[in-house]
Amino acid sequence: LRQVDEVDESAMLASGPKMARSGLGAGEGRPTVTCRALPSFEFSPGRLVFGRNSVERLPSLVTEYLEHIDRGSSSVFIVCGSTNRVSEPVAKALREKGVGRIEIFNVAKEPTVELVREATKRASGCGVVVSIGGGAAIDTGKAVSVLLTNGGEDPDPLDFLEVVGRGLPIERPGVPYIACPTTAGVGSEVTKNAVLGAGPQKVSMRSPFLIPSVAVVDPLLTVTCPKTTTAYTGLDALVQCIEPYCTHLATPLSDLYARQGVVYGARSLRAAFDDPEDLEARDEMSLCGLFSGIALANSKLGSVHGFAGVLGGMFPKAPHGAICGRLLPPCWRANFEACRSEGSAQSTRALRRMEGVAEILV
């Protein structure tokens, strides 16, 4: 997994027009810079709807999908957290638009195999799945949407789970699925996996078909989050921007999201925590969370999340974002020292990126 050697950008700027890439117009007396071809990659965000009050677009987005499916499947299954504060107004608006059957399913804790089985049975025959809530509600909705079209008459999430399950591939797209997060940090609204509890372990279903059809990100929905939730999800988002930016799998496109996500998180996490009504900070933290999901879905994560996943399974009540925040300094230090001692071109590139992130953070 070799990454392109980066040209020193300061040298490029200092030399101005004298610098040219090899084979791209280099003339006599003009130095050239030899670069390997950029790495091949694919990029996979779904449809994104962002902005204050964008939750109001949910009913029209749902009916947009219902218009293109069989009338027998014109019901809606809504997954939400422990309260129906947002889901009930959405359900009311859908009824006013003529949607006959609307089922609301509450997820008050981290989703498990058993919970997803129950949700899938209750969602049977629905045409659209909607999640309104944190990562637990969104991951539940993801799993339900694909289980409705994969696994036959009695689908079992264990058939598609990694590690503890059969790990079968998800071969068909799920029913249309719309994710609307009420926290800023998890990024699950744009990722291709769903994390479920299976006994003492947390494991994933993983497929491009798990990427929601639409992600609706409304920063105003995060204003009522408890301060601890703001802190923990914000730390998760920040780390999820940092790690994809420094990984060897980073691409020019994922870099745009990862780096800007770090800027937003560094600037607005403390502000959103100190003043929950700071709407500019809420806007930026919602973007930080969204960008973190896009970045990790395309360039993956690093040692912080490698350890955090294991620790989260061992201590399921520990907030994931708190674990990530606590692990970042020692993992960062270990990676920095390892890269500095190795001295390879890839390590040198990683060091430059780590130094760039540090400058943004401080």
Side-chain angles (χ1 to χ4, degrees), residues 1 41 103 105 143 169 184 278 288 293-294 317 353:
L1 299 173
F41 62 90
E103 177 93 16
F105 185 84
D278 186 336
C288 179
I294 295 173
K317 293 184 179 181
R353 287 182 169 239

Side-chain angles (χ1 to χ4, degrees), residues 39 118 127 193 197 287 294 330:
E118 178 189 352
N193 71 303
L287 283 174
I294 295 173

Side-chain angles (χ1 to χ4, degrees), residues 39-354:
S40 299
F41 62 90
E42 61 178 77
F43 196 74
S44 55
R47 180 180 174 188
L48 305 177
V49 177
F50 176 87
R52 299 178 192 177
N53 297 309
S54 57
V55 68
E56 296 174 1
R57 293 187 56 185
L58 271 178
S60 61
L61 289 168
V62 170
T63 55
E64 179 182 319
Y65 282 104
L66 289 177
E67 289 171 358
H68 295 90
I69 62 177
D70 295 335
R71 297 299 299 173
S73 301
S74 60
S75 60
V76 178
F77 186 72
I78 300 177
V79 184
C80 60
S82 56
T83 72
N84 297 337
R85 177 179 59 88
V86 181
S87 58
E88 280 292 359
V90 171
K92 179 181 178 182
L94 287 171
R95 293 187 189 100
E96 292 172 352
K97 286 181 172 289
V99 178
R101 178 191 163 210
I102 301 169
E103 177 93 16
I104 296 179
F105 185 84
N106 295 96
V107 178
K109 56 183 180 180
E110 294 296 316
T112 62
V113 169
E114 294 76 19
L115 182 141
V116 168
R117 284 197 191 109
E118 178 189 352
T120 304
K121 289 178 180 178
R122 289 177 56 177
S124 178
C126 82
V128 177
V129 175
V130 178
S131 286
I132 305 170
I138 292 176
D139 280 358
T140 300
K142 284 182 177 182
V144 169
S145 72
V146 296
L147 287 173
L148 290 173
T149 58
N150 292 268
E153 293 294 324
D154 189 21
D156 188 345
L158 278 174
D159 287 341
F160 306 101
L161 278 177
E162 300 172 343
V163 184
V164 300
R166 297 176 65 192
L168 296 178
I170 296 170
E171 298 178 336
R172 288 183 291 275
V175 301
Y177 173 53
I178 302 172
C180 182
T182 56
T183 62
V186 179
S188 185
E189 66 273 15
V190 287
T191 60
K192 60 185 77 173
N193 71 303
V195 180
L196 307 181
Q201 294 179 284
K202 291 183 179 181
V203 288
S204 286
M205 296 173 65
R206 198 180 307 273
S207 168
F209 292 136
L210 283 166
I211 298 174
S213 309
V214 187
V216 178
V217 182
D218 186 340
L220 295 182
L221 297 181
T222 69
V223 171
T224 56
C225 284
K227 295 187 76 169
T228 51
T229 301
T230 296
Y232 296 150
T233 58
L235 283 170
D236 189 21
L238 184 56
V239 175
Q240 286 179 171
C241 288
I242 291 171
E243 291 197 295
Y245 185 68
C246 296
T247 180
H248 61 285
L249 296 175
T251 72
L253 198 49
S254 66
D255 284 350
L256 298 176
Y257 291 93
R259 189 185 186 284
Q260 189 60 39
V262 175
V263 172
Y264 286 146
R267 185 164 62 200
S268 292
L269 176 53
R270 170 64 69 175
F273 179 82
D274 289 340
D275 180 8
E277 302 289 335
D278 186 336
L279 297 187
E280 289 186 9
R282 292 294 185 180
D283 285 347
E284 292 198 344
M285 287 311 302
S286 289
L287 283 174
C288 179
L290 175 64
F291 288 2
S292 78
I294 295 173
L296 76 87
N298 290 279
S299 294
K300 303 193 183 299
L301 295 163
S303 55
V304 172
H305 275 83
F307 285 115
V310 176
L311 290 171
M314 295 171 62
F315 305 99
K317 293 184 179 181
H320 173 72
I323 295 174
C324 290
R326 184 63 183 88
L327 286 173
L328 181 61
C331 288
W332 187 270
R333 187 179 303 111
N335 283 326
F336 188 87
E337 293 298 334
C339 288
R340 187 163 61 178
S341 63
E342 185 182 272
S344 67
Q346 182 171 293
S347 293
T348 300
R349 170 185 176 278
L351 285 172
R352 285 202 300 268
R353 287 182 169 239
M354 295 175 78

